[in-house]
């Protein structure tokens, strides 16, 4: 009975142009054009020994490795070659792996071009290492480390030009230059006219105007008229406006140190570099203001430095306070 059914199925398959493979017992094509592809091999043989998951894994690995290589090379457009002031000068610069990318020239929005990497020599910093090994902490040696690019007072040498928006508008401006476009929100305390006191609660001056960032729509600086004459800018993030006491207080610097805040070249403009220097001055005051006030800096360094402190009174920076 089964043999009869098989014969009938075979005859029907042959009539339809197909036959039964005696090796597998499966119905397959009997024509040469269907059995062999146009390239002379059986269809499907090109992926017979390939695993799709393995192909995707290696494709991702190649892409990710290339991305890491590219990003590590591109981040060397500034800050390289690496140098260690405590070691002798190298005959060849140390650039690490992968090597730095070839120079690229960028077109600036304000006009002109800039080429990176530029390999310009960094400015001299009045500081020295606490210990003669790479990675040792830096100790400032200038008379006022809040004005020097060291430690929390460090800053980047950005362009000494004002930040511009589209249409050549200044991004950072005082309220007196924007008219009714900006104003203090009703219900908030307007600090204009309030006295400004330092961390010693002594009056340094009073707030003359507010400077706003039209790009990020933030209040950025307080313009202070000093009691001794002159105007300085104080970042709003270092100021505490107190409506109750009607004053503005900073816990960063002392009242007499406002006179040494870096000035701006133009009374109604501030450049990117001036911004960084002013913010760095107030940030450096968190660590250096007390030492500057007591005259601990700008002295001749001792011949030997004890671990944990030195003659500059920096011991408090390198000891652990008891719990």
């Amino acid at each position: 009975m089964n043999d009869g059914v098989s014969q009938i199925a075979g005859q029907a398959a042959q009539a339809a142009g197909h036959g039964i493979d005696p090796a597998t017992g499966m119905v397959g094509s009997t024509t040469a054009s269907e059995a062999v592809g146009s390239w002379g091999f059986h269809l499907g043989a090109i992926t017979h020994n390939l695993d799709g998951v393995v192909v995707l894994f290696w494709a991702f690995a190649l892409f990710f490795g290339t991305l890491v290589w590219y990003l590590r090379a591109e981040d060397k457009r500034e800050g390289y070659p690496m140098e260690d002031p405590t070691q002798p000068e190298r005959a060849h610069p140390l650039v690490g792996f992968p090597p730095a990318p070839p120079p690229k020239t960028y077109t600036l929005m304000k006009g002109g071009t800039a080429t990176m990497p530029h390999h310009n020599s960094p400015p001299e910093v009045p500081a020295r290492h606490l210990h003669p090994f790479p990675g040792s902490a830096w100790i400032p040696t200038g008379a006022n480390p809040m004005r020097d690019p060291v430690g929390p007072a460090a800053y980047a040498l950005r362009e000494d030009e004002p930040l511009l928006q589209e249409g050549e508008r200044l991004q950072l401006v005082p309220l007196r230059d924007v008219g009714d476009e900006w104003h203090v929100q009703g219900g908030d305390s307007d600090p204009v006219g309030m006295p400004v006191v330092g961390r010693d609660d002594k009056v340094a001056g009073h707030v003359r105007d507010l400077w706003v960032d039209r790009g990020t729509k933030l209040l950025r600086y307080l313009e202070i008229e000093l009691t001794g004459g002159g105007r300085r800018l104080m970042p709003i993030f270092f100021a505490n406006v107190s409506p109750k006491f009607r004053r503005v207080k900073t816990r960063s610097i002392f009242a007499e140190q406002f006179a040494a805040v870096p000035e701006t070249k133009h009374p109604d403009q501030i450049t990117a570099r001036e911004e960084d220097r002013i913010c760095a001055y107030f940030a450096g005051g968190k660590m250096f203001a007390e030492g500057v006030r007591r005259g601990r800096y700008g002295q001749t360094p001792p011949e030997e430095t004890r671990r944990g402190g030195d003659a500059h009174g920096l011991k408090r920076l390198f000891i652990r306070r008891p719990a």
Side-chain angles (χ1 to χ4, degrees):
M1 181 65 180
N2 292 337
D3 292 340
V5 173
S6 299
Q7 290 177 0
I8 295 173
Q11 292 175 359
Q14 290 177 1
H18 297 275
I20 299 177
D21 188 349
T24 62
M26 300 179 64
V27 177
S29 175
T30 58
T31 60
S33 61
E34 295 177 351
V36 180
S38 59
W39 296 98
F41 52 81
H42 292 282
L43 296 178
I46 188 172
T47 59
H48 182 67
N49 294 321
L50 292 180
D51 189 336
V53 176
V54 175
V55 173
L56 291 176
F57 169 79
W58 285 111
F60 172 77
L62 178 62
F63 162 77
F64 189 76
T66 304
L67 178 64
V68 172
W69 179 293
Y70 170 78
L71 295 178
R72 286 293 295 120
E74 286 296 318
D75 69 15
K76 294 183 179 181
R77 292 199 178 275
E78 293 187 68
Y80 280 78
M82 296 183 292
E83 298 178 358
D84 182 11
T86 64
Q87 302 298 325
E89 186 176 355
R90 300 173 60 92
H92 301 285
L94 180 63
V95 296
F97 180 83
K104 182 187 294 185
T105 301
Y106 300 88
T107 301
L108 305 179
M109 181 184 67
K110 64 180 181 180
T113 59
T115 301
M116 295 291 178
H118 49 67
H119 300 294
N120 294 338
S121 299
E124 293 292 333
V125 178
R128 64 182 179 85
H129 275 289
L130 178 62
H131 299 292
F133 60 77
S136 175
W138 287 91
I139 296 179
T141 57
N144 190 348
M146 294 188 294
R147 293 182 62 96
D148 300 327
V150 57
Y155 55 88
L157 290 177
R158 293 201 291 169
E159 292 292 330
D160 203 13
E161 298 290 339
L163 298 178
L164 300 178
Q165 293 181 300
E166 295 183 4
E168 301 298 317
R169 292 201 320 166
L170 292 174
Q171 182 170 331
L172 285 162
V173 290
L175 283 183
R176 59 179 175 269
D177 289 349
V178 295
D180 297 333
E181 181 182 355
W182 289 75
H183 62 274
V184 178
Q185 180 69 28
D188 289 343
S189 297
D190 189 349
V192 174
M194 290 186 181
V196 179
V197 300
R199 59 193 291 182
D200 53 356
D201 290 328
K202 294 183 179 180
V203 177
H206 66 274
V207 179
R208 184 178 185 273
D209 205 350
L210 310 179
W211 287 54
V212 295
D213 188 333
R214 292 192 284 194
T216 58
K217 296 179 175 55
L218 289 175
L219 173 62
R220 293 288 299 276
Y221 297 97
L222 302 179
E223 182 177 322
I224 303 172
E225 186 83 31
L226 301 181
T227 53
R231 301 173 185 174
R232 299 293 187 273
L233 294 181
M234 179 172 66
I236 188 63
F237 304 108
F238 287 94
N240 180 18
V241 180
S242 175
K244 179 180 179 180
F245 298 101
R246 292 291 301 170
R247 71 176 188 179
V248 178
K249 179 180 176 63
T250 179
R251 300 185 182 276
S252 175
I253 63 177
F254 295 93
E256 69 267 18
Q257 295 172 338
F258 274 88
V261 174
E263 302 181 61
T264 59
K265 295 182 297 184
H266 194 282
D268 296 327
Q269 296 180 9
I270 183 172
T271 68
R273 185 175 300 183
E274 290 170 346
E275 271 201 88
D276 283 359
R277 293 189 64 194
I278 292 174
C279 293
Y281 183 89
F282 281 88
K286 292 285 188 176
M287 179 176 288
F288 301 128
E290 181 68 29
V292 171
R293 194 184 195 193
R294 297 179 180 275
R296 295 174 179 171
Y297 301 101
Q299 305 173 9
T300 303
E303 296 181 0
E304 295 183 359
T305 302
R306 295 185 296 105
R307 183 177 182 86
D310 65 0
H312 293 278
L314 290 173
K315 186 174 182 180
R316 62 186 178 85
L317 303 179
F318 306 103
I319 62 175
R320 178 179 298 176
R321 294 181 177 180

